[in-house]
Amino acid sequence: MRQVRLVCIIISLILLGTGCSSTQHMISEEVLSDSVPFEEKLSSFQIPSVQVSYPDVYYDGRAWRDRLIELVEGAEDYLITSAFLASSSEELEELYSALARKAESGVRVYFVVDGTGPFDMTETRFHLIPLKFLRESGVHLLEFNSISGARLVSGLNLLYRDHRKFLIVDGKHVALGGMNLNYISIGAENEQLQRDSMYEFISPELSSLILDYFVPWWNEQTWDEIDRDDFTVDETSLEGKETYQGWYVNQEPKSAQISKLIGSLLSEADHSVQVLPFLPFMDEEMITAFRMAQERGVEIQMIIPFDRRVTNRKGIEYMTKDLLDMGIDLRIEEERAETQRLLHEKLLIVDERYVLIGSTNINYRSMNLAYENSLVIDSPELAQQLKLHFEELYEGTVPITEEMAEGWHTLMNWPRFITAFFGG
Amino acid sequence: MKKPTMILILLILLLSTPVMARSFGYGFGYYGEEISDGPERLSSGMEISLAYRPWLLEYGNPSLVGKVALGTDQDKEWVIPYLQVGLHVDLVRTTNHPFNFIAHNVVAYTPALGVFYQFDPAREASTFTVEASLLKLSQKDFWYEVLSPFIAFNMDKGVVDSWGINLVRYTYFFK
C-alpha cells in the first residue's frame, strides 16, 4: 500500500510539474495580439530572422542518404550533424565509412546523437550498429544525456532529449528536417523505410545561427571543447540566388520559443492551416490554440499517421477524443500498403504562405521536454509545393468521427497514451 | 531522520533539478564507517551530498561539499553517523587515461582530496576529516567516485576518531 501511495505522489508531482507547461504561451495575450505584426511578435520573442535559399526537398530517406554521402564527400573543413536516433547498419555503411574517412583526412566532424539511441525500439534495433567506432577515426561523437544505471541519479533530467536534426557542411550547406540517421529513416529498402522530409538550404545566416547555438551547447556537454571562431561561414554562398525570409528557433526544454512560434503562426492564420503533427499528444493549451483559430473561420486540416506499432497507435487513438475538441478537419491515414511506412514528417502550412519545418512534433513533449530546431519560411512557392504534397497524403485519409474516438478512448489504452504523452 | 522525510527530500531534489544551475549538484553514495575512539560502533548506509562547483579548473579545482550519512549500525538501529561540510579539490583533470571505455562520452580522470569539518550528532563529537577520491571520473555534469576512504581525527585528543570508505558515489550537476 505504501508503494502505491508513493507512486501516486510521484505521478501527482509530475502532473503538477506539467502544469507549468510552456504551451500556455500558445494562447498568451502577446501571442494572440492582433495589433502586433507577425514579424514583430517573433522579434519580441527573440526568434531571429534569416535569409535562406529555396530548399531542395527530400521525401525519400534513401535519396537523402545518397545526398548526405555527396555532402560528406565534399566537406573540406568541418561537418556538424545532429540526429535524435543515429546508428549504422549494412545499408548505411557507405555513409558512415565516408564520415570516418573524412575525419581521418583531417576534416573536423562533430556528431551528436541522443542517448536513447541504443534503446531504439523501432525496426532499426534488428540492424543497429552503434556509432562508437567513429571515434577511432577521429569523429567527435557526443551521446547526449546518456542513459545508464549511474545516471538515474539525474532524475527527471533523463526526460530531456535532444530531438534536433540538422547538418552543416563548411558553413555553406545546411539541412533541417525530420529524418534521423538510422536504418528506418534512411536505410531500409522496404515498407520499413519511414516517410519523412529533409530540406537543404544555402544560407550563411542560418549556418551562423546554428553555429552560435551549437558551439556553447557542445562545450556545456563535453571536455572536448571547441571555439566558435574556428567555424567559418561562406558569406558569399547566397549571392545571386533568390532569397526568402525565415525565422529559426533552437529550442531548449521549457524555453517556450516553439510554443510562441506555433501560437503566433496559428494566430496569424487567416483562412487555412495544414498540419502533419507526427505524434499528436497535445495538452489543453495546444488544443485550445487550434480551436481558437478554427473558431475564427480558419480551415484547419490535420493528418494523423497510421502507426503500425500497436502501442503507439492505441495511444494516439486514445488521444483523438480530446483532439476532436479542436473542431478541425481531423483525419487519420487508412491502413494500406503505403501507410505501413510510418509518416514521420512534421509540417505546418499557414495560408499558403508560411511553412514550418524541422524536428518539432506538434505535441507536448517537443514543446516542453526536448531540444528542437524549427524554421519558418515565408514563401508562397514553397507553401504551394508542400501543400500539394499534403493533399496527396490527404487522399489516403478518413475523417475521425466521434464514434471512432469514443470507441478508442478505453481504460486499456490509457497507459499507452500516458507513456507516449511524456515519452513519445 | 524518518523515512518519509528522507523520501520527500529525495523527491524534491529530483523534481527541482531541471530549474537549477549547472554549478550545483547532488549526490548519492554508499558508505561504511567504524568509530574507533571509544566503544566500537559500525554502521553503513546511504550518503547524500550537495556540491557547489563554481569553476572548471584543470588543476586544483575546488568545490564546496556538504554530506549527511544515514545508515544502520550493528544493532540494526538507524543512525546518522556524520554530517560533513568542507572543501573537495580535484587535483588534476586529464582525459588521457585508460578508463574512457567505461563511459558513453569522453570522461576525465580527476583524483581528488577533501577536507571536512565532521559532526557526529549522537556523540556530539566534532572531528576533522580527510577523504581521498583517487578513483574519480568526471564529466561536465557528473562525478563518479569509487572506493573513497576517509579518516576522522579528534583534534583535541590527537587520535583517530573514526574511519570508513565510500564504496561508490554519483554526483549530478544540474543543467
Side-chain angles (χ1 to χ4, degrees):
Chain A
M1 194 59 203
R2 279 184 180 171
Q3 281 91 336
V4 172
R5 205 180 304 156
L6 182 62
V7 169
C8 288
I9 290 170
I10 292 170
I11 290 175
S12 305
L13 287 169
I14 289 173
L15 294 176
L16 192 69
T18 60
C20 308
S21 162
S22 75
T23 53
Q24 61 190 291
H25 296 284
M26 286 182 77
I27 49 173
S28 67
E29 213 168 287
E30 51 185 350
V31 160
L32 297 176
S33 168
D34 286 335
S35 58
V36 183
F38 180 65
E39 292 83 350
E40 277 183 36
K41 272 187 200 173
L42 299 193
S43 174
S44 70
F45 301 150
Q46 316 295 323
I47 296 174
S49 69
V50 289
Q51 293 293 313
V52 297
S53 66
Y54 195 89
D56 290 327
V57 186
Y58 295 84
Y59 290 123
D60 183 283
R62 289 167 67 86
W64 173 240
R65 178 199 61 188
D66 294 343
R67 175 61 181 150
L68 261 176
I69 293 169
E70 272 179 28
L71 288 167
V72 170
E73 300 282 11
E76 292 174 348
D77 183 15
Y78 67 88
L79 184 151
I80 299 173
T81 191
S82 181
F84 176 57
L85 301 174
S87 54
S88 188
S89 68
E90 196 181 315
E91 296 76 6
L92 299 179
E93 199 182 325
E94 192 182 346
L95 171 65
Y96 286 110
S97 298
L99 268 175
R101 276 198 310 277
K102 270 294 150 180
E104 283 164 8
S105 74
V107 170
R108 293 168 294 153
V109 179
Y110 296 88
F111 197 122
V112 181
V113 57
D114 188 76
T116 51
F119 303 93
D120 191 332
M121 295 308 287
T122 65
E123 193 65 22
T124 298
R125 69 186 188 277
F126 300 115
H127 305 261
L128 187 151
I129 300 170
L131 295 180
K132 271 194 167 182
F133 69 91
L134 289 175
R135 289 204 175 108
E136 290 162 21
S137 301
V139 172
H140 303 263
L141 179 70
L142 173 70
E143 191 176 299
F144 174 76
N145 206 2
S146 306
I147 296 174
S148 65
R151 285 186 157 260
L152 290 176
V153 167
S154 64
L156 287 185
N157 280 280
L158 280 175
L159 285 177
Y160 289 164
R161 293 286 131 213
D162 190 347
H163 195 241
R164 291 173 289 195
K165 288 104 179 172
F166 66 82
L167 169 80
I168 307 176
V169 180
D170 294 339
K172 202 179 292 182
H173 305 275
V174 55
L176 305 173
M179 288 188 198
N180 291 303
L181 297 177
N182 61 352
Y183 172 76
I184 57 164
S185 299
I186 58 171
E189 284 179 350
N190 45 28
E191 76 278 355
Q192 286 156 2
L193 184 68
Q194 292 181 341
R195 290 169 291 154
D196 209 332
S197 58
M198 283 301 286
Y199 301 80
E200 184 190 343
F201 300 90
I202 301 288
S203 172
E205 287 185 3
L206 183 55
S207 299
S208 286
L209 256 183
I210 295 176
L211 285 165
D212 289 345
Y213 290 121
F214 176 77
V215 171
W217 177 86
W218 173 275
N219 288 340
E220 255 187 33
Q221 315 301 322
T222 175
W223 300 115
D224 181 18
E225 293 188 356
I226 52 179
D227 190 337
R228 172 68 181 87
D229 293 338
D230 292 336
F231 297 89
T232 56
V233 167
D234 182 355
E235 301 290 350
T236 65
S237 55
L238 201 49
E239 280 176 7
K241 293 189 171 62
E242 190 167 2
T243 62
Y244 298 84
Q245 177 85 358
W247 292 268
Y248 178 71
V249 169
N250 177 81
Q251 164 157 296
E252 299 196 357
K254 295 272 182 195
S255 79
Q257 280 199 306
I258 296 273
S259 296
K260 289 177 177 174
L261 178 69
I262 295 177
S264 300
L265 279 166
L266 291 175
S267 168
E268 182 71 8
D270 176 63
H271 57 273
S272 74
V273 172
Q274 288 79 35
V275 194
L276 298 178
F278 183 40
L279 298 171
F281 294 104
M282 301 189 202
D283 65 4
E284 200 176 329
E285 280 93 3
M286 300 177 78
I287 289 170
T288 303
F290 279 99
R291 187 174 61 237
M292 288 171 76
Q294 178 74 17
E295 286 171 353
R296 286 201 328 271
V298 180
E299 188 189 334
I300 303 177
Q301 299 168 309
M302 182 182 288
I303 297 175
I304 296 175
F306 170 77
D307 197 329
R308 64 180 180 155
R309 301 169 298 180
V310 176
T311 293
N312 264 25
R313 187 168 74 245
K314 298 287 183 190
I316 291 170
E317 289 174 351
Y318 182 93
M319 180 80 221
T320 55
K321 188 166 184 285
D322 291 328
L323 295 178
L324 284 174
D325 287 346
M326 294 188 287
I328 64 171
D329 179 14
L330 184 66
R331 321 276 299 193
I332 190 161
E333 287 190 311
E334 292 176 292
E335 182 177 0
R336 55 199 166 85
E338 176 65 9
T339 57
Q340 295 302 303
R341 294 178 51 210
L342 179 63
L343 181 64
H344 188 256
E345 190 173 353
K346 311 96 169 56
L347 176 67
L348 189 102
I349 309 169
V350 174
D351 291 346
E352 295 99 22
R353 177 178 172 182
Y354 298 108
V355 298
L356 173 74
I357 58 151
S359 65
T360 311
N361 298 324
I362 313 293
N363 64 19
Y364 177 86
R365 164 162 258 294
S366 279
M367 306 280 170
N368 288 283
L369 300 172
Y371 289 87
E372 299 281 2
N373 60 350
S374 278
L375 180 71
V376 173
I377 306 150
D378 181 358
S379 165
E381 297 94 318
L382 181 62
Q384 185 57 34
Q385 179 186 341
L386 299 184
K387 195 177 173 198
L388 288 173
H389 166 65
F390 183 89
E391 284 167 355
E392 280 174 25
L393 296 169
Y394 190 90
E395 291 289 306
T397 65
V398 292
I400 296 173
T401 63
E402 291 281 357
E403 293 72 31
M404 290 160 74
E406 199 63 52
W408 291 332
H409 201 74
T410 64
L411 192 61
M412 289 294 285
N413 286 341
W414 184 83
R416 289 158 162 158
F417 156 73
I418 205 72
T419 305
F421 188 90
F422 292 106
Chain B
M1 201 179 296
K2 289 180 180 174
K3 236 180 173 179
T5 314
M6 287 295 298
I7 290 169
L8 192 65
I9 290 172
L10 292 181
L11 274 175
I12 289 169
L13 276 174
L14 292 174
L15 290 167
S16 64
T17 54
V19 296
M20 306 290 275
R22 175 182 278 282
S23 299
F24 292 90
Y26 63 83
F28 296 107
Y30 192 87
Y31 83 94
E33 189 205 38
E34 178 178 337
I35 295 168
S36 50
D37 185 21
E40 189 181 66
R41 304 292 297 172
L42 298 168
S43 75
S44 63
M46 180 192 261
E47 184 201 78
I48 301 169
S49 54
L50 293 172
Y52 173 56
R53 180 190 58 179
W55 304 290
L56 290 170
L57 308 175
E58 195 171 346
Y59 298 99
N61 190 51
S63 302
L64 284 174
V65 174
K67 304 178 203 167
V68 57
L70 173 73
T72 52
D73 64 14
Q74 67 263 48
D75 300 325
K76 308 292 180 201
E77 293 291 325
W78 284 97
V79 291
I80 298 177
Y82 61 81
L83 302 159
Q84 291 179 351
V85 181
L87 199 62
H88 174 101
V89 180
D90 292 345
L91 303 175
V92 65
R93 185 181 77 231
T94 176
T95 53
N96 189 17
H97 59 80
F99 305 119
N100 260 309
F101 72 95
I102 64 171
H104 293 269
N105 290 311
V106 175
V107 65
Y109 174 56
T110 51
L113 282 179
V115 287
F116 300 94
Y117 162 75
Q118 177 170 312
F119 181 68
D120 178 343
R123 294 185 295 146
E124 293 189 349
S126 296
T127 52
F128 170 77
T129 301
V130 178
E131 181 184 54
S133 292
L134 299 179
L135 295 174
K136 179 182 174 190
L137 298 172
S138 301
Q139 290 173 328
K140 287 205 170 162
D141 59 349
F142 253 87
W143 287 345
Y144 309 87
E145 292 166 90
V146 181
L147 301 177
S148 307
F150 58 90
I151 186 162
F153 299 97
N154 185 321
M155 300 304 281
D156 294 333
K157 294 184 187 171
V159 296
V160 172
D161 176 82
S162 55
W163 65 277
I165 192 163
N166 246 286
L167 294 181
V168 65
R169 183 189 296 127
Y170 299 130
T171 307
Y172 173 66
F173 288 87
F174 314 142
K175 286 178 187 169

